[in-house]
Each structure stands twice: as structure tokens, then as C-alpha cells.
Amino acid sequence: IRKNPLVEIIAVNTGCLNACTYCKTKHARGDLGSYPIEDIVERAKTAFSEGVTEIWLTSEDTGAYGRDIGVTLPDLLFQLVKVIPDGAMLRIGMTNPPYILEHLEDMAKILSHPRVYSFLHVPVQAGSDKVLYDMRREYTVADFEKVVNYLAEKVPGITIATDIICGFPTEEKDDFDETLSLIERHKFPSVFINQFYPRPGTPAAKMKRIPTEEVKNRSRELTQLFKSYRPYDHKRGQRQRILITEISHDGNHLVGHNKFYEQVLVPKNMDLLGKTIEVDIIDTGKHYLMGQIVHETLVNMPRLPPPPSTEAALKSNVKSYHKNLKSSVDYADSAIIILTYPIESYSNILNTMSTASKKFHLFNWLSLSDILVANEVINFVAVANTNLAE
């Protein structure tokens, strides 16, 4: 059951390849177990057919996907983008630096795809190589910055989110200062700040802890640094496309996301849920942008591309299909026609029918709520998933 009917969360694998000294994932969930590409793609197609407009890929480490079954994360993503319909988006989940380093070129291509959010969550955890070694993170600060800098160059505007653990047992003051310097250099728009907690049964739980008050002080200092900059102010006045998928916590706005998965708030209008609209950015906050709707008409709505066999059938049988369609709507004074395939495929049909005296409401994809509120509908004609070869 989806908590949000517009969002499908798909786990691509379970378990983990790492053995971080502070984490119990390996103990709790075991070694990496990746799901087959075809299963994940099929689940995505099913979700889109059920009205989902946004898919989140999740994992303890998305970047490690496929290493146990002989494929890679880009292999999966290149297949997924083929089935994402217009008006829908894909968000890639958290990935640790080691497993994405060898795929940077392909990841940049995927993150630049118009139906993939230019967003990536890459936890660094510390800005000190010594601390990273003690955590058994299997990368250096330079490795992490290579990922960040490469993607920033190849995917302009990309949002990189990261995590920091304050007060790991071996973290000296100089180590923490290096972490502050890392955040100062990159000014990440999202930084998840955590205080070290000794999880029972982990190697780090056996290490001598830093005094609790010192850990809190470091957490406060890092939080203060994070709050000192505003990552979105330069976006005021921009016109952006956003996909609206939820209601804000205060209940007064709808929440959409732009290409960079930045949160954009717009006035509440429930008819806009699941739709892509254009907005002008009129204000910004630390964690959000405020949008003024430019056009309430849809920029696009989700639709699945036609299978090659169906598209070929449409071209070869357009005359007979046109005849059947026209005879159906002859009984209606007005009609709604749902076009489940790209509207260009119906050009011959629509051009002929446009001369008729009847009123037609044409949509590429329609929710039940839209159908119920449509005006002047006497009869309803649905052209959906028709076997065009018949």
C-alpha cells in the first residue's frame, strides 16, 4: 500500500557490501542481494500504469547495485529511463562514494536525463581521512570530492546531499575542523547531521567515547555553519517546471519538485496533484522555494509510450480504427476521448473528426477525478489499451 498514491518506492537490493565500524546493517541484513533488472523495470511499469508519477529507488547503498549478479547501477538506470512516461520522474537513492566512482560518466548522463531528478545523496560522514579510515568507509575525502566536482561540472545545477557524523570516537578537533572546511567549500543544500551513537555489537561501540558535551558542541557548530548560507536565493525570478506530488506539512500549500529535486511550494489546489506545471520563483527559504503558478494548464501528464508492435498496428490499421472510433462517438453529443498513446499517432483520426459538429475533450491520460468534474459530458467514450490490430 502506497503512503502517497503518486509515489512508488522501489528497493533495488538488500544488504550491504561494507562493514562500517559504527553500523549494524551488515549484521542485520547480511550481504548484498540485488534484484533482477527485469523485475525492477516491470514493477516501475506497473506503478506508472496505476497512476504513479514519481519513483524513488532505495537501498542501503544504491551504488553497489548489481555487483553480486554481474550488472551495474547504470545498466539498471538505462533500462528504467526507457519506461518513464512523460510527466513522471525518477529519483535515485543514496550511494556511497566507492561504488559510484567507476561509473561517473554514465551517472552524469543519467542524471541529465529530462525524466530523472538531477539529485544524488552521497554521504561523506567525515571530512578527515583518518576518521574515514577508522570508520572503514573505504574512500578518502579526495574520492568524495571527485564525485561531487565531476557531477557538478557535467550536470550543471545538480543537488548533492550528504551526511555527517559528529563525534566519532577517534575524531580529534583537527579532524572536525576538516569536516567544517569540507562543508564550507561545497555549501551543500542538504546536510544530515548526526551525533555518534554507539550501536551495541559494533566495533565502534567498544571505542572510548568523546565526552557527550563535546559531541553536542561539534554538532551545534556544524549546524550553525549549515544555517549560515542560503542555497536558493539566486533562484528568485527563475521560471521552473515542477512536478506536484504532495501536500505541505502546514496543509496550506502543495509541494512540487523541480529538475534538481528542490522543494517548491505553490498555493493549494488539489486538482494539480500529480501534474507538471510552470511557476515563477517569487521567494526562497533555507529549505524551499516559493512558486507563483504561471499556467494552470498542464505542461504534460504521464503516459506510457506505445509498444512498437502496437504503434505499427496503428499505422497499418488507422482507417479501420478511425471508422470504429467515429461510429462510437456518433452516438454522443459530446465525448471525452482518452488517448493512451502519443497524440501525434492519432493525427489522421483527429484531423478528420475535427470537422464534426460534436464537442470532443481530448486527454493523453486522465484521472478518475478529472473525468468526474468534466463539463458537458453526455456520453463517455474511452479509447484505452485497444487492440489496434483487430
Side-chain angles (χ1 to χ4, degrees), residues 250-265:
D250 65 11
N252 298 323
H253 300 86
L254 295 182
V255 180
H257 293 91
N258 59 20
K259 177 68 167 72
F260 311 107
Y261 203 68
E262 296 161 340
Q263 181 174 259
V264 182
L265 304 179

Side-chain angles (χ1 to χ4, degrees), residues 73 82 126 145 211 275 339 364:
L73 177 62
K82 294 178 181 179
E145 291 196 281
K275 299 173 183 177
L339 307 180
N364 275 44

Side-chain angles (χ1 to χ4, degrees), residues 60-200:
E60 276 74 30
D61 187 350
T62 308
Y65 171 80
R67 285 177 172 257
D68 57 322
I69 59 174
V71 297
T72 67
L73 177 62
D75 291 337
L76 168 64
L77 297 175
F78 281 128
Q79 292 302 311
L80 271 175
V81 296
K82 294 178 181 179
V83 303
I84 304 173
D86 292 345
M89 295 293 289
L90 172 69
R91 192 188 80 172
I92 302 171
M94 183 273 288
T95 177
N96 286 310
Y99 305 118
I100 194 176
L101 272 168
E102 61 193 81
H103 303 304
L104 286 179
E105 184 176 350
D106 283 340
M107 289 302 298
K109 292 177 182 177
I110 292 162
L111 291 165
S112 298
H113 192 283
R115 293 190 289 279
V116 178
Y117 287 117
S118 298
F119 167 89
L120 203 60
H121 179 193
V122 189
V124 65
Q125 305 299 8
S128 160
D129 285 342
K130 178 176 76 69
V131 174
L132 291 175
Y133 179 83
D134 292 339
M135 290 178 170
R136 293 185 194 163
R137 291 292 289 169
E138 300 184 4
Y139 58 87
T140 65
V141 175
D143 291 333
F144 171 76
E145 291 196 281
K146 180 179 180 180
V147 171
V148 172
N149 293 333
Y150 183 91
L151 293 178
E153 177 187 354
K154 301 297 183 180
V155 190
I158 187 173
T159 296
I160 300 289
T162 196
D163 300 358
I164 298 291
I165 295 175
C166 293
F168 186 80
T170 64
E171 182 184 72
E172 305 279 353
K173 184 62 171 69
D174 288 347
D175 298 317
F176 180 66
D177 287 342
E178 290 183 58
T179 296
L180 292 174
S181 296
L182 178 68
I183 301 302
E184 178 66 41
R185 282 198 298 277
H186 295 282
K187 292 184 171 59
F188 301 103
S190 295
V191 180
F192 303 96
I193 301 170
N194 303 287
Q195 298 177 21
F196 171 76
Y197 175 78
R199 291 178 172 82

